[in-house]
Amino acid sequence: MSRISMTPPRTLTNRFVAWFAKRKFGRELGPATAAGHNRKVLMTTLKMEMGAAKWNANPSSLRLLAMMRTAATIECEWCMDFGYWLGVEDGIAPDKIESVPNWRNADCYTPVERAVLEYAEAMTQTPPEVTDELNARLREHLDDAQLVEITATIALENFYGRNNHALGLAPEGFKESCAIPARKG
């Protein structure tokens, strides 16, 4: 149960965001609906998301795994639900996405994926538990641009996940809709 009304004012901005979400994702998105109560927060969040969507130093699958591990660490069920859908849409094997919460016991990850999953987990702790040794393992696989991008990806997911968790945003059934084949292109 949400801790905030999911009926924000019917402003032009909120109606446009709802229309766009329905067009792109097939439904309105809870975080955008909740943010619709404060136009400045909504617009800043949308700008961050649009900017991050252009990042390309790392493969999208690696960024998604980092986001999913962050969401799992925070226990943001909304993020896990939506992240699963995003992963399937991106062509990531569902079993790989489902293994994220228990990644240490799964054998489906490459060495770079394992390093990123560990980094996302360590970075999401309070306080962060990133060590020089962990950074060295990560640096075996990532250059400076990639490290900056994966760090920012994890930080951004911490913002989203903690925001969603605090507002009590529940899963919206994205994972269940993955039975429909992923879109092409």
Side-chain angles (χ1 to χ4, degrees):
M1 172 106 175
S2 173
R3 295 182 183 114
I4 188 166
S5 165
M6 296 307 282
T7 53
R10 290 207 25 89
T11 64
L12 182 60
T13 300
N14 287 341
R15 290 192 319 253
F16 175 76
V17 169
W19 169 83
F20 181 80
K22 286 178 186 174
R23 184 170 181 252
K24 183 165 179 144
F25 305 109
R27 66 189 87 178
E28 294 181 47
L29 301 180
T33 301
H37 289 285
N38 184 314
R39 185 179 185 282
K40 290 179 182 178
V41 170
L42 174 63
M43 296 307 293
T44 299
T45 304
L46 292 174
K47 288 176 190 173
M48 286 189 309
E49 185 62 26
M50 289 186 306
K54 296 175 185 174
W55 297 348
N56 62 1
N58 291 293
S60 59
S61 60
L62 197 59
R63 290 191 315 271
L64 182 92
L65 290 173
M67 293 183 324
M68 292 293 289
R69 184 59 225 155
T70 302
T73 302
I74 295 169
E75 298 180 5
C76 176
E77 293 180 19
W78 192 95
C79 299
M80 293 298 290
D81 179 47
F82 188 61
Y84 184 93
W85 183 83
L86 287 174
V88 170
E89 286 286 303
D90 198 40
I92 300 172
D95 62 326
K96 192 174 248 192
I97 302 167
E98 289 173 355
S99 297
V100 167
N102 299 305
W103 68 271
R104 292 177 194 279
N105 299 321
D107 60 1
C108 58
Y109 299 110
T110 66
V112 66
E113 290 169 340
R114 288 186 167 286
V116 166
L117 290 163
E118 183 177 2
Y119 187 62
E121 187 176 280
M123 198 175 143
T124 303
Q125 299 301 314
T126 303
E129 297 176 357
V130 176
T131 64
D132 291 340
E133 293 79 18
L134 173 55
N135 184 272
R137 281 195 305 281
L138 199 58
R139 298 301 296 211
E140 292 174 13
H141 308 284
L142 303 180
D143 63 26
D144 289 342
Q146 291 171 311
L147 179 62
V148 167
E149 181 181 278
I150 210 71
T151 301
T153 297
I154 295 163
L156 195 54
E157 185 60 31
N158 265 278
F159 167 77
Y160 294 140
R162 291 174 189 274
N163 186 64
N164 295 344
H165 197 287
L167 293 175
L169 300 181
E172 297 180 21
F174 281 97
K175 183 177 179 183
E176 288 77 23
S177 69
C178 289
I180 301 168
R183 287 193 304 247
K184 301 289 186 240

